[in-house]
Amino acid sequence: MEEQNNSAGKELQHKTRAEVPGKKSWQSQAYTLGAISNFMSTFLTFPIYKVVFRQQIHAVAVSEAVRQLWHEGPQYFYRGIYPPLLSKTLQGTLLFGTYDSLLCFLSPVGPHSLGQRWTAGLMSGVVEAVALSPFERVQNVLQDARKQACFPSTFSILKEFNSYGLWGRLSLGYYRGFWPVLVRNSLGSALYFSFKDPIQDGLARQGLPHWVPALVSGSVNGTITCLILYPLIVLVANMQSHIGWQRMPSLWASAQDVWDTRGRKILLIYRGGSLIILRSSVTWGLTTAIHDFLQRKSHTKKEMKD
């Protein structure tokens, strides 16, 4: 009986990754709940992210970053949370929805190859970067304690950006630091989607409950991806925390400045990595598990109707 259940689970798992030609559809319920899971995980893990951000900007220890937040007071503890809540909600829809659509376009019949998953993931990351970079830009300004006096709210930052000309709004405002964001998101999505399913399939063959492989796969894969690209995360945070009409350094100059201010030590670049492991584990684990659960539920209902 146990072998039959495992076999049925594997068959269903294969079907969720290989749609019949012409049957690929937009599963609104799955993407809606995926967005909700991103919303909840972002709210719960935001304090961790804020500590990590302070480490990225000031290169301080965890205790010092926590001390700074405590000293500023509880009224500023969740300052800057609205942009990430909006962006993560959109990310839950864009990331998986765009990836599935592109994967179906590249190959309507599964199973999909590593190259196809990599390409679809890379392209979905590009879409994500274009759509969500302005949210991250505003968030990084809000979280920088040095900007609290001049820009106390999201509205004040948007007012500043909109006072620029058209090109200034893009290059100095909403899309400042866009190129490292583009590289980080595209490579991150490609890595995540390339190895998410292989890790999950390998764990599923161990006879674990169906939600465990998805949770572990999302957690491990998302964490490793974030750690690999962590230097880009630090670079983006530093580039996007600046505001105003001052001369904007090139990408290489910004990277060199971060490297110099960290004492040319890779360990200081990765300061905050321990906390991002925890945050990434929770966020990507929950998102992957919920998405997999909804996908299974949708296919089960579809098979019962057929």
Side-chain angles (χ1 to χ4, degrees), residues 207-275:
L208 300 171
H210 66 82
W211 59 270
V212 174
L215 182 67
V216 174
S217 173
S219 178
V220 172
N221 194 34
T223 299
I224 293 175
T225 300
C226 286
L227 287 177
I228 291 175
L229 300 175
Y230 193 76
L232 282 176
I233 298 176
V234 175
L235 177 60
V236 169
N238 279 272
M239 291 184 69
Q240 290 193 339
S241 65
H242 295 290
I243 195 169
W245 283 94
Q246 71 270 26
R247 179 179 176 274
M248 186 168 56
S250 64
L251 177 59
W252 173 253
S254 298
Q256 187 66 41
D257 180 66
V258 170
W259 178 245
D260 291 337
T261 56
R262 298 302 187 271
R264 296 176 175 269
K265 294 180 180 180
I266 193 68
L267 289 179
L268 291 181
I269 292 291
Y270 271 85
R271 175 163 280 176
S274 58
L275 287 179

Side-chain angles (χ1 to χ4, degrees), residues 38-51 53-54 68-70 72-86 138-144 148 152-154 279:
N38 271 340
F39 180 96
M40 295 178 62
S41 62
T42 300
F43 183 84
L44 293 174
T45 60
F46 184 75
I48 301 175
Y49 176 83
K50 196 161 186 177
V51 173
F53 179 82
R54 289 297 175 87
Q68 288 181 8
L69 294 176
W70 182 263
E72 292 168 12
Q75 68 271 27
Y76 292 110
F77 202 64
Y78 272 85
R79 170 183 161 89
I81 194 174
Y82 294 112
L85 281 179
L86 289 173
V138 174
Q139 174 189 347
N140 284 336
V141 175
L142 281 172
Q143 291 182 162
D144 190 346
Q148 289 180 3
S153 65
T154 300
R279 178 175 174 269

